[in-house]
Amino acid sequence: MSEAMWGGRFSKTTDEMINEFQASIGFDKRMYHEDIAGSIAHATMLAKCGIITDEDKEAIVKGLKDILKHIDAGSFDFSVDLEDIHMNIEKRLTDAIGEAGGRLHTARSRNDQVALDTHMYIRRQVTEVQREIQNLQQALVETAEKNQDVIMPGYTHLQRAQPILFAHHLLAYFGMLARDFARFEGVYQRADIMPLGAGALAGTTFPIDREFVARQLNFEHIYGNSLDAVSDRDYIMEFLAAASILMVHLSRLSEETILWCSREFSFVELDDAHCTGSSMMPQKKNPDVSELVRGKTGRVIGHLMAMLTTVKGLPLAYNKDLQEDKEGIFDAIDTVKFSLAVYAQLIRGMKVRKDVMKRAVTEDFSNATDLADYLVKKGMPFRQAHAVSGTAVHDCIAKGKYLEDMTLAEFQQLSPLFEADIKEAIRPETCVRNRNSLGGTSYSQVERQLTAAKELLSAEQKIQSKAESLQVNAR
Ligand code: ARG
């Protein structure tokens, strides 16, 4: 008979290479705290329902807490022969406390056990990712607030388009991150469903109390179908989807940061402590952080594709393919948290080069729309005004000057509607101030956005604190 915990029906031990291939202990050990918390709740329920004795339960809980201390301290010896975190812990428990340990797995399968652990792990990680999202949102708000008077060119097609406030640009990313936070809130809700009690797939013959387990582990909901409970990986796919979208946002911000700190733009300067040099070219100061975040985006998207592909052909209920859910999501969790934390630091350390941005607005034609709008306000149809402004730009380019350099006489040659106030109307500050439609780039609209951003941050904080208070601690 095989030594494995399921060895009864086997006459041979598992081949060594196969053993190594199918083991997940190398990565699923990071769910040890969830595994122990789940087992304590399960044992407590078994005793309450009269399925095991109180003495057995006491011995199990004490034994599990000892194991937790060992793993926390790094003195637990994980064994590949015991496949995964669930059997490593159960075997150690049984070695320590004897028969009572062998009763822990009553009315439970590793299929609902691993689902429980993963739900709890993801629930906790969602909260940690949200904390990092908020930190970056905070960094954007601080930087926007400190630079409220900074004007830069806004772009379309990466061509200078209209003057905007730098703060307005930063707050666009705040908005994306706010949606990311909300998306992760949705992931939390789908992770907050308790699978334990599904057994291997069909439920159990024992009179268990799933509500009691759910209450102990602070689950809001319980799976109503045992097959769904052990087969569902939606919350993992959703996490990876939310993480991919978040990374796409960070990647766009990275792309802009890389452009902005190039010599060609010179809109910002990154802190020396956040850049690296070149081994050959002495002058180099490279924006590696932004490049890496942009690069790591592909990796997280890859994990999403892998998971969708893994699940797409699976029959119900559990299949070992599902063990492949873990490495991708663990890596995605690490990547997303790290990228967010690093980016917040980068933004906080960034020097904003107000004068360079201002020059980019004045020494160009991004006020051409404002010239047209001026004529419209004096009664000219917009299409006609567009043509007049276009002609003005055309003439300026031919003469090597800008709209601001034109004399009133020159303007009036193009249209008699021009008056002395045209000079004021096309100053970048005026262009910005006048875009006062809701959500526009005017000083007061950006002020409103900042107020709304701070209100949202405190609302997010409340959600955050509630989720943190619901985390289960087995220690
Ligand atoms: N290590 C497995 C996983 O991560 C645990 C469940 C195993 N169940 C089974 N019947 N082999 O999915």
Side-chain angles (χ1 to χ4, degrees), residues 430-465:
T430 314
C431 302
V432 165
R433 188 172 313 106
N434 285 345
R435 288 210 162 67
N436 197 30
S437 53
L438 181 69
T441 197
S442 74
Y443 299 96
S444 60
Q445 288 297 327
V446 169
E447 187 74 54
R448 272 179 72 149
Q449 286 184 58
L450 277 168
T451 308
K454 286 184 218 158
E455 278 166 15
L456 187 72
L457 274 171
S458 61
E460 286 177 356
Q461 188 51 47
K462 283 195 193 103
I463 295 173
Q464 190 74 30
S465 307

Side-chain angles (χ1 to χ4, degrees), residues 231-242 244-245 300-315 321-322 324-326 328-329:
S231 310
D232 178 27
R233 295 295 182 274
D234 290 359
Y235 62 105
I236 303 227
M237 296 187 267
E238 279 188 64
F239 185 107
L240 291 169
S244 296
I245 297 172
V300 174
I301 294 170
H303 293 317
L304 170 63
M305 293 308 133
M307 196 59 216
L308 293 169
T309 314
T310 298
V311 177
K312 83 176 262 295
L314 290 188
D321 315 43
L322 291 174
E324 285 294 308
D325 62 356
K326 291 180 197 64
I329 193 144

Side-chain angles (χ1 to χ4, degrees), residues 8 43 60 93 120 141 144 160 215 221 250 407:
I60 290 170
L93 178 72
M120 289 171 69
V141 168
R160 292 174 188 171
R215 271 199 303 281
H221 305 284
L250 296 187
T407 63

Side-chain angles (χ1 to χ4, degrees), residues 119-162:
H119 277 79
M120 289 171 69
Y121 187 78
I122 298 299
R123 217 172 43 167
R124 176 153 63 89
Q125 292 301 330
V126 164
T127 307
E128 291 187 13
V129 169
Q130 285 179 321
R131 159 94 43 239
E132 295 299 341
I133 292 176
Q134 273 187 304
N135 180 32
L136 179 54
Q137 285 181 302
Q138 187 66 49
L140 289 168
V141 168
E142 286 162 20
T143 311
E145 224 167 12
K146 265 192 274 171
N147 294 284
Q148 277 187 73
D149 59 333
V150 177
I151 297 181
M152 69 182 287
Y155 292 81
T156 66
H157 311 269
L158 205 56
Q159 304 288 320
R160 292 174 188 171
Q162 291 175 349

